[in-house]
């Protein structure tokens, strides 16, 4: 039910008042550690490795705070200046958040990147961000760095902590803090620049999605480099004085219940696919998750059948949220917002969200463009080096999310899909055009169309529809070709040979027509049945 002071809506605009204003000065790294300084000996981070849930590292808040501030001082001593970028390319190790927040504490701009990116993909990001430092683990090191960029290898970045710690710089709320790359409609990745205040804005999630407090133990199933993990798994628990538990690698469905039980996790955060795999195990989940208060899900849409199965097996609620790289999560169900079948939830208290018909809020229950007010303190500063795209995403006071949705009279929002050709795979946004551009560099491909196809209610996969230039290259060859040029989550899982691709009279590819014509039980195209790679 809506809050008592929220009358039934007559138009699709939800606004329960402005958020608590961000204080100034405001440094995101200082804010994240400030609460924890009240309990310096409390456990801040538990790093887990292996299937048994063994502990690899334990950090208390005092040690973590010291490492972040010493790293900041070390970066400054090596020449980091305000606004300089520091790129991070490493696996799930504690060095990642220490460097991330250390860069911000020093006044720099942290740039987390996925360890799954291939060397060409990462090199392209470096050319766009022009970093001052590139921190790379040995197994992910690249040799071609932009002019002016210096590498930081493990011994060097850990050596930064030998520097006497500094106080975080006194940043303004609108000063830049971090830059993340997300897929765009024009192909390739585009940088999203976030302000220091973005961490303060996340407080709106604490009550309306997490129910987060200092006594919580947050277990996140994602990688450190993912913004879902950096925010939900680390930034918010630490800012609240809670404990974070992260696995060093992709935690298996077998390992997660063991980890939760061993470390008394009170909140679990993951994408739908993780919950699906957990439910396939033979674990006594009600016992394994006995300390859990509830679970959180985001990254892609959670099928209601999957949510029902989770509640039945664990006897625990699960709360969904919708967000994006530019805003983070802003719609959710939670302890104060009962989930409603078919809907994501409501805008969090302090958010101003609308469903637009043109430039004005649409009538309730009408489909329209999902938009967030540009007054939202969690909204990005801008797209990096893309002023035209920054301007195009705004319509009056509104930032257009690129999603279609409908809002009912109680403010609950139903997600109706993307307005563009950005896909969602394993919780990551993936540009269809980016994948197509890579496939078209194969000498045996004349045309390629990429889209998501639904195999069943709870499973969608990326499919490539290919018109060969001569003989069919073969699924194995195409999979191997894409694997060397695209991160694993971007690679098509289904391959379809076609005589032609559906196009408009002007020649524009109709990706949605590809998805509509796909028949998982039969022939997806004019020649033969789709080929499915390993999921």
């Amino acid at each position: 039910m809506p809050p008592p002071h929220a009358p039934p809506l007559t138009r699709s605009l939800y606004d329960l008042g402005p958020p608590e204003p961000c204080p100034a000065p405001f440094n995101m790294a200082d804010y994240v550690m400030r609460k924890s300084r009240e309990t310096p000996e409390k456990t801040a981070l538990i790093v887990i490795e292996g299937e048994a849930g063994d502990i690899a590292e334990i950090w208390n808040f005092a040690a973590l705070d010291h490492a972040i501030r010493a790293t900041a001082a070390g970066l400054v001593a090596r020449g980091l200046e305000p606004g300089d970028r520091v790129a991070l390319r490493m696996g799930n190790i504690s060095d990642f958040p220490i460097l991330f927040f250390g860069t911000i504490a020093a006044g720099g701009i942290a740039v987390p990147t996925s360890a799954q990116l291939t060397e060409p993909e990462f090199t392209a990001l470096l050319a766009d961000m022009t970093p001052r430092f590139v921190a790379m683990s040995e197994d992910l090191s690249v040799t071609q760095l932009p002019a002016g960029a210096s590498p930081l290898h493990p011994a060097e970045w850990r050596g930064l902590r030998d520097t006497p710690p500094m106080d975080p710089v006194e940043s303004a709320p609108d000063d830049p803090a971090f830059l993340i790359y997300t897929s765009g409609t024009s192909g390739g990745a585009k940088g999203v620049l976030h302000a220091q205040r973005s961490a303060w804005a996340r407080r709106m999630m604490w009550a309306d999605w997490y129910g987060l407090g200092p006594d919580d133990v947050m277990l996140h199933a994602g990688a450190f480099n993912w913004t879902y993990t950096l925010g939900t798994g680390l930034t918010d628990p630490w800012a609240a004085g809670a404990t974070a538990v992260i696995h060093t690698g992709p935690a298996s469905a077998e390992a997660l219940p063991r980890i939760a039980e061993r470390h008394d996790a009170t909140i679990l955060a993951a994408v739908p696919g993780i919950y699906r795999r957990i439910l396939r195990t033979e674990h006594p989940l009600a016992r394994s998750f006995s300390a859990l208060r509830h679970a959180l899900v985001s990254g892609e849409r959670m099928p209601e059948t999957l949510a029902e199965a989770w509640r039945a097996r664990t006897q625990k609620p699960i709360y969904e949220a919708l967000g994006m790289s530019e805003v983070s999560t802003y719609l959710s169900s939670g302890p104060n917002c009962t989930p409603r079948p078919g809907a994501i939830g409501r805008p969090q208290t302090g958010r101003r969200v609308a469903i637009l018909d043109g430039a004005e809020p649409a009538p309730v229950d009408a489909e329209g463009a999902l938009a967030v007010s540009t007054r939202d303190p969690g909204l990005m500063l801008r797209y990096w080096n893309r002023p035209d795209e920054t301007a195009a995403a705004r319509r009056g006071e509104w930032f257009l999310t690129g999603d279609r949705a409908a809002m009912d009279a109680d403010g609950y929002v139903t997600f109706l899909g993307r307005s563009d050709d950005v896909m969602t795979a394993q919780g990551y946004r993936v540009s269809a055009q980016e994948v197509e551009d890579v496939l078209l560099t194969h000498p045996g491909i004349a045309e390629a169309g990429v889209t998501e196809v639904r195999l069943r209610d709870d499973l969608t996969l990326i499919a490539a529809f290919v018109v060969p230039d001569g003989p069919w290259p073969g699924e194995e060859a195409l999979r191997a070709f894409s694997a060397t040029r695209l991160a694993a989550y971007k690679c098509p899982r289904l391959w379809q040979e076609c005589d032609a691709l559906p196009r408009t009279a002007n020649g524009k590819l109709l990706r949605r027509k590809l998805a509509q014509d796909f028949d998982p039980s039969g022939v997806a195209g004019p020649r033969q049945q789709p080929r499915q790679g390993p999921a």
Side-chain angles (χ1 to χ4, degrees):
M1 295 297 293
H5 57 287
L9 303 176
T10 58
R11 55 182 185 143
S12 299
L13 171 63
Y14 196 89
D15 183 355
L16 293 183
E20 184 181 357
C22 181
F26 185 85
N27 181 282
M28 175 177 170
D30 180 60
Y31 160 75
V32 166
M33 288 289 103
R34 192 176 303 156
K35 175 70 173 177
S36 65
R37 291 174 191 145
E38 300 173 6
T39 54
E41 300 306 315
K42 183 178 179 180
T43 299
L45 175 65
I46 303 173
V47 182
I48 303 297
E49 64 182 3
E51 290 295 293
D54 296 329
I55 297 174
E57 300 176 66
I58 295 182
W59 290 77
N60 65 25
F61 278 115
L64 187 66
D65 185 36
H66 183 277
I68 289 171
R69 293 188 296 111
T71 295
L75 288 169
V76 171
R78 291 184 66 124
L80 183 77
E81 297 183 358
D84 282 348
R85 275 76 63 202
V86 178
L88 310 181
R89 177 174 167 85
M90 61 196 72
N92 258 30
I93 52 179
S94 58
D95 303 307
F96 206 111
I98 290 170
L99 274 165
F100 177 82
F101 288 112
T103 298
I104 296 170
I109 299 174
V111 191
T113 69
S114 172
Q116 297 186 54
L117 295 179
T118 62
E119 183 168 340
E121 289 174 306
F122 181 63
T123 301
L125 297 190
L126 293 180
D128 185 62
M129 74 176 83
T130 58
R132 176 65 181 86
F133 294 105
V134 183
M136 303 172 286
S137 56
E138 299 298 346
D139 60 324
L140 294 170
S141 184
V142 301
T143 55
Q144 298 296 320
L145 298 182
S150 299
L152 285 177
H153 297 294
E156 295 170 298
W157 75 56
R158 288 170 187 148
L160 297 173
R161 301 173 201 168
D162 296 332
T163 313
M166 62 177 278
D167 291 333
V169 301
E170 290 192 348
S171 306
D174 283 335
D175 284 347
F178 63 98
L179 177 67
I180 52 177
Y181 279 88
T182 184
S183 290
T185 59
S186 58
K190 60 183 177 183
V192 178
L193 184 64
H194 274 285
Q196 304 282 346
R197 56 173 159 74
S198 64
W200 180 263
R202 299 184 62 85
R203 296 167 70 91
M204 292 183 281
M205 306 175 202
W206 292 13
D208 285 357
W209 185 28
Y210 301 172
L212 181 65
D215 295 330
D216 278 311
V217 176
M218 172 74 76
L219 171 58
H220 202 295
F224 278 124
N225 57 66
W226 192 14
T227 52
Y228 184 13
T229 312
L230 278 170
T232 301
L234 298 173
T235 300
D236 294 329
W238 290 347
T243 299
V245 181
I246 305 287
H247 198 278
T248 56
S252 73
E254 292 290 337
L256 282 168
R258 294 192 193 103
I259 296 169
E261 185 172 5
R262 183 171 177 180
H263 299 285
D264 293 325
T266 61
I267 301 177
L268 170 65
V271 296
I274 296 293
Y275 291 108
R276 185 181 301 114
R277 291 195 287 273
I278 289 174
L279 290 170
R280 290 174 182 164
T281 70
E282 299 300 320
H283 279 284
L285 297 184
R287 186 192 74 193
S288 298
F289 294 113
S290 60
L292 206 71
R293 293 195 291 112
H294 50 256
L296 307 175
V297 62
S298 191
E300 56 187 288
R301 189 71 178 93
M302 180 78 156
E304 182 59 29
T305 53
L306 185 58
E308 288 177 357
W310 168 266
R311 290 189 287 264
R313 281 283 302 277
T314 66
Q315 300 300 303
K316 303 292 182 179
I318 187 165
Y319 300 128
E320 187 170 10
L322 177 70
M324 60 189 306
S325 299
E326 292 88 339
V327 192
S328 195
T329 56
Y330 58 96
L331 301 174
S332 60
S333 59
N336 299 324
C337 178
T338 304
R340 182 172 291 182
I344 295 287
R346 288 197 308 267
Q348 295 154 0
T349 304
R351 309 281 188 184
R352 180 174 165 86
V353 176
I355 310 297
L356 299 182
D357 178 8
E360 299 297 326
V364 293
D365 297 322
E367 178 179 347
L370 181 57
V372 178
S373 174
T374 54
R375 307 172 197 168
D376 194 302
L379 182 63
M380 67 171 188
L381 289 168
R382 62 181 182 277
Y383 291 119
W384 186 256
N385 294 333
R386 300 194 184 203
D388 291 345
E389 289 196 40
T390 301
R394 295 173 181 256
R395 182 183 297 168
E397 79 151 287
W398 300 106
F399 172 80
L400 305 177
T401 67
D403 292 329
R404 304 288 294 176
M407 183 183 292
D408 68 16
D410 294 331
Y412 279 82
V413 175
T414 300
F415 177 73
L416 299 173
R418 294 287 298 169
S419 304
D420 50 33
D421 293 308
V422 174
M423 306 173 291
T424 301
Q426 301 175 35
Y428 294 90
R429 291 176 67 192
V430 179
S431 165
Q433 183 172 324
E434 178 186 8
V435 180
E436 291 165 0
D437 288 346
V438 168
L439 296 181
L440 289 172
T441 64
H442 190 290
I445 294 179
E447 295 182 75
V450 173
T451 190
E452 290 177 293
V453 297
R454 184 171 295 280
L455 295 187
R456 58 177 187 263
D457 180 59
D458 64 345
L459 179 63
T460 60
L461 296 176
I462 295 178
F465 296 79
V466 173
V467 177
D469 187 6
W472 172 247
E475 174 196 350
E476 293 301 324
L478 291 175
R479 288 221 312 264
F481 179 83
S482 62
T484 61
R485 293 160 176 81
L486 292 166
Y489 63 86
K490 299 179 185 178
C491 293
R493 301 298 182 91
L494 301 170
W495 297 89
Q496 172 64 54
E497 182 184 6
C498 302
D499 286 325
L501 300 180
R503 296 185 181 274
T504 67
N506 295 326
K508 184 177 180 180
L509 177 63
L510 294 171
R511 295 188 183 93
R512 289 177 181 166
K513 185 73 164 65
L514 289 173
Q516 290 168 1
D517 291 347
F518 178 80
D519 181 1
S521 65
V523 177
R527 289 196 181 179
Q528 51 191 304
Q529 198 163 337
R531 306 169 172 88
Q532 181 176 351

